[in-house]
Amino acid sequence: MTFEVGPTQDLEHQRWRTASPFVAIGVVSIVAGGLVAALTRPLELDAGPWITAYLVLVNGVAQIGLGAGQAALVHGAPRPRVVIVEVVAWNTSTTTIIAGTLIGLPLLTTAGALSLLVAVGCLIRHVPVAPARRRILAVGHWTLAVLIALSTPVGVLLAWLRHG
């Protein structure tokens, strides 16, 4: 018995395949955040609570939300090259922001923040503001993107105030 995959099923498969790197890395980040939280006190990590929150909320929840939202909302499926740029920009930003925080170098944190804003811009670039279908999902997607975009300069300012 052979299964024929129609255009609709194939498009849905492509959509969720493009979301999978965001989801996989996001889940790993949430688990890593939990591990950092568990090790913060025994290792006396001053930045531990902040790193935990960043890993869970930004690199975990927000990355999953924006990656899956893009996959669900764009017309067609996101192009693989675009997804690679988005995933690399997002996760490079996390590494850079955390490294800048740990070594007390706000210029590095700022560079990471710029990379994060590039990733957010890419993740909303082709997503309609309010498509007729999935309107609630679109509002949630855009709201999450705006929250990340607005909180990024606040984080940069705090990094400069703390280490500048």
Side-chain angles (χ1 to χ4, degrees), residues 140-164:
H141 182 80
W142 277 89
T143 301
L144 183 56
V146 167
L147 286 172
I148 295 297
L150 292 176
S151 66
T152 299
V154 172
V156 169
L157 176 63
L158 292 173
W160 282 97
L161 290 174
R162 187 177 328 123
H163 301 291

Side-chain angles (χ1 to χ4, degrees), residues 10-157:
D10 190 44
L11 178 59
E12 288 302 311
H13 177 73
Q14 287 176 333
R15 286 177 184 275
W16 294 112
R17 189 176 57 208
T18 63
S20 64
F22 298 105
V23 173
I25 295 169
V27 168
V28 168
S29 294
I30 291 169
V31 172
L35 293 173
V36 171
L39 296 174
T40 292
R41 181 167 285 167
L43 296 180
E44 298 179 9
L45 296 172
D46 290 337
W50 179 86
I51 293 170
T52 296
Y54 194 88
L55 285 171
V56 170
L57 297 174
V58 177
N59 215 56
V61 174
Q63 181 169 204
I64 291 168
L66 290 176
Q70 172 185 249
L73 293 166
V74 295
H75 299 294
R79 286 187 263 153
R81 277 194 314 246
V82 171
V83 171
I84 290 169
V85 168
E86 293 165 347
V87 169
V88 169
W90 190 286
N91 292 286
T92 299
S93 76
T94 295
T95 304
T96 307
I97 288 168
I98 290 175
T101 299
L102 288 173
I103 63 175
L105 191 58
L107 190 58
L108 194 56
T109 303
T110 304
L114 292 174
S115 179
L116 180 62
L117 291 174
V118 166
V120 170
C122 290
L123 282 158
I124 62 172
R125 183 171 172 217
H126 299 293
V127 174
V129 176
R133 63 181 184 92
R134 302 179 182 174
R135 189 172 311 272
I136 292 173
L137 181 60
V139 169
H141 182 80
W142 277 89
T143 301
L144 183 56
V146 167
L147 286 172
I148 295 297
L150 292 176
S151 66
T152 299
V154 172
V156 169
L157 176 63

